[in-house]
Amino acid sequence: MEKVRLRLYQFTLVLAFASVALALVNSGMQRQCFYIAVYASIIGLLFESKRISLRPFSIALPILLIGVLNLAWYFIYEYQTEGINKYSDYLGASKKLMLASLLVFYIDRFKYYVTKENFQKYFLIATATGFTLATAYGLWQASQRVDRVMMAIDRATVAAYVYSVLSLAFVYSLYLQQSVKLYVLAGITILLSWFIILLTGTRAAMGLYLILAIVLTLYHFRKFHLKSMVVFCCIVAGIFLVSYKPLIAPKVAQTQVEIEKYQQGQDRTSLGARFSMWIIGVQNGLAHPLGQSIESREIWSQNYVNDGHPHLAASLEYIRIHLHNEFIEKYSLQGIPGLLLLLFFFISVISYAIRNNNGLLLVTVLLLLLYGMTDVILLSSEAVLFFMVIFALATSFSRREA
């Protein structure tokens, strides 16, 4: 029986590693690997039922609670009008999050089945494979002169979010090898990754990736190497200068123009629509502190715009999708309970990462938080699956129990 338990855990890990490696090159296979890994973890938990303990704290708990709240909200506010809609983003996200919580819990609780050294080796192989495939795919797309690189995901923004975390996971695994040559490779990886992110044209990732790469480096080594930092900054400056005119300058100019237009009352731009959505979302939350349906939000927002707020009209084009901010989206539909639970999720995962000196988990949740300021990651199928698997695998890097 002990051998069966071991093989189940190893099988689950292999599928989780495969899901990470395939995230940006084959989303269908990524999804299949995720679900099979979840089902394997459920079987594993049944075999381990007598060994299961709810202490110490597991980040599976806040993940499960968000999934449960999404499901409860759906049946309270949406089910009465549309029944079971398998295409509902919230219903789909609730299922993925609840299942992911089981995967996170299983991998975290029984990580003693695999030695830390072996896990680091397998994680390096998985992230190296995923990073290499994704980078090659991105460079190939760029050679085809596409407007924005997006790899195998249908949205360049989501591709940039996933790629940035995959890159930092690979960098972290290189750091763990404690080799000067691999430290150099990590630096090259960071620079190459930033260039690929520039090709995606995603402003949030362009601005945040290098910052979080530095945070990860300093948090892991706890030292500031002046010479290495000078060389790194010089190379970054070189890439910046070469990329500025074709890739960076257009985004800077676009941002300036969109802010100016919004100040003039024109919100039909990417940033302008976001500003309007955020205002509309907050007002919805204030008016419905315990939550409301998507249809109710749309009707209320339409009335709000018509009632003396025509400068927010662009928000109505996206009101049926989401409001491009994780917190405001929750607040506008799930009210104060949704907002508080989302805060609990981020605070608990960040505190867990800090207590356990877990650099990978820390930068992953920080990127999820910061990207969530301008997008809604926890409703994106590919992003949810990827982030949850990274959370699950990252728990194995905790250096002491919470």
Side-chain angles (χ1 to χ4, degrees):
M1 187 61 70
E2 192 66 25
K3 194 171 183 179
V4 173
R5 293 190 181 104
L6 173 62
R7 292 290 180 263
L8 265 173
Y9 188 83
Q10 291 173 335
F11 180 60
T12 303
L13 274 186
V14 168
L15 290 168
F17 286 139
S19 182
V20 168
L22 295 169
L24 286 164
V25 293
N26 192 321
S27 57
M29 287 296 294
Q30 174 212 17
R31 191 179 307 110
Q32 290 178 24
C33 288
F34 170 82
Y35 282 117
I36 297 174
V38 168
Y39 301 144
S41 69
I42 293 173
I43 297 173
L45 287 171
L46 292 176
F47 274 100
E48 303 284 1
S49 58
K50 293 182 180 179
R51 301 181 182 180
I52 293 176
S53 170
L54 298 180
R55 293 179 179 273
F57 173 81
S58 172
I59 61 171
L61 175 61
I63 294 172
L64 174 64
L65 291 178
I66 290 181
V68 170
L69 180 63
N70 284 349
L71 187 65
W73 169 84
Y74 184 87
F75 278 101
I76 292 172
Y77 290 107
E78 293 293 308
Y79 180 76
Q80 57 188 339
T81 58
E82 62 177 32
I84 299 294
N85 176 11
K86 65 179 182 179
Y87 300 106
S88 167
D89 288 338
Y90 270 93
L91 191 59
S94 69
K95 177 185 70 173
K96 292 178 179 68
L97 289 168
M98 288 189 291
L99 291 175
S101 70
L102 298 175
L103 179 65
V104 172
F105 185 81
Y106 179 61
I107 290 179
D108 182 23
R109 277 294 183 267
F110 302 100
K111 56 192 172 190
Y112 55 77
Y113 277 129
V114 179
T115 65
K116 192 171 184 178
E117 292 72 22
N118 282 338
F119 182 87
Q120 290 179 5
K121 179 176 67 176
Y122 302 143
F123 189 80
L124 174 62
I125 293 171
T127 53
T129 301
F131 175 78
T132 302
L133 291 174
T135 301
Y137 198 173
L139 291 174
W140 177 80
Q141 284 187 332
S143 71
Q144 303 302 303
R145 300 186 182 280
V146 296
D147 291 334
R148 299 175 68 181
V149 165
M150 61 182 69
M151 287 156 266
I153 297 178
D154 61 359
R155 284 186 292 160
T157 52
V158 175
Y161 303 152
V162 172
Y163 182 81
S164 62
V165 175
L166 176 60
S167 169
L168 292 181
F170 178 44
V171 168
Y172 184 73
S173 65
L174 290 172
Y175 287 163
L176 293 173
Q177 304 308 307
Q178 298 181 347
S179 166
V180 174
K181 291 181 179 179
L182 294 184
Y183 293 159
V184 174
L185 178 58
I188 295 171
T189 298
I190 291 172
L191 297 173
L192 178 58
S193 299
W194 191 50
F195 178 70
I196 296 292
I197 289 170
L198 291 178
L199 293 175
T200 68
T202 304
R203 284 174 284 194
M206 290 164 64
L208 290 171
Y209 175 76
L210 285 180
I211 296 174
L212 269 296
I214 293 172
V215 169
L216 175 64
T217 303
L218 294 177
Y219 189 82
H220 179 74
F221 291 104
R222 308 298 173 96
K223 294 179 181 179
F224 184 84
H225 299 279
L226 182 59
K227 290 183 179 179
S228 300
M229 190 58 67
V230 169
V231 173
F232 179 80
C233 290
C234 288
I235 297 175
V236 169
I239 295 178
F240 181 84
L241 291 174
V242 172
S243 307
Y244 184 76
K245 187 173 181 180
L247 300 174
I248 299 174
K251 289 296 179 181
V252 174
Q254 178 186 353
T255 301
Q256 292 174 335
V257 169
E258 290 179 355
I259 291 175
E260 291 174 359
K261 285 186 175 181
Y262 187 77
Q263 291 173 339
Q264 296 168 3
Q266 303 176 40
D267 66 340
R268 294 191 180 278
T269 62
S270 179
L271 275 181
R274 278 176 165 81
F275 295 151
S276 294
M277 282 186 279
W278 298 343
I279 294 172
I280 285 283
V282 171
Q283 294 299 324
N284 268 281
L286 292 172
H288 305 87
L290 296 180
Q292 63 178 328
S293 68
I294 294 176
E295 183 181 9
S296 171
R297 182 176 71 176
E298 183 178 22
I299 294 172
W300 192 94
S301 300
Q302 181 70 66
N303 292 334
Y304 186 79
V305 169
N306 293 338
D307 188 23
H309 304 89
H311 60 287
L312 303 176
S315 64
L316 300 178
E317 298 179 17
Y318 306 93
I319 203 73
R320 292 287 298 184
I321 305 172
H322 61 69
L323 299 181
H324 286 77
N325 181 290
E326 203 81 62
F327 290 92
I328 294 175
E329 173 70 13
K330 280 285 185 188
Y331 185 44
S332 69
L333 289 177
Q334 298 177 358
I336 295 174
L339 184 60
L340 292 178
L341 190 53
L342 191 61
L343 284 170
F344 170 70
F345 166 76
F346 282 112
I347 291 172
S348 60
V349 176
I350 290 172
S351 62
Y352 173 92
I354 293 174
R355 287 199 311 272
N356 289 277
N357 299 311
N358 195 324
L360 175 60
L361 183 60
L362 180 62
V363 296
T364 301
V365 71
L366 285 177
L367 280 174
L368 180 61
L369 170 65
L370 295 171
Y371 288 152
M373 294 295 116
T374 57
D375 211 331
V376 179
I377 315 298
L378 295 177
L379 288 181
S380 169
S381 177
E382 297 89 352
V384 167
L385 299 185
F386 177 79
F387 274 92
M388 292 304 111
V389 174
I390 289 292
F391 281 166
L393 296 174
T395 59
S396 293
F397 293 117
S398 295
R399 298 175 187 172
R400 62 184 178 86
E401 294 298 336

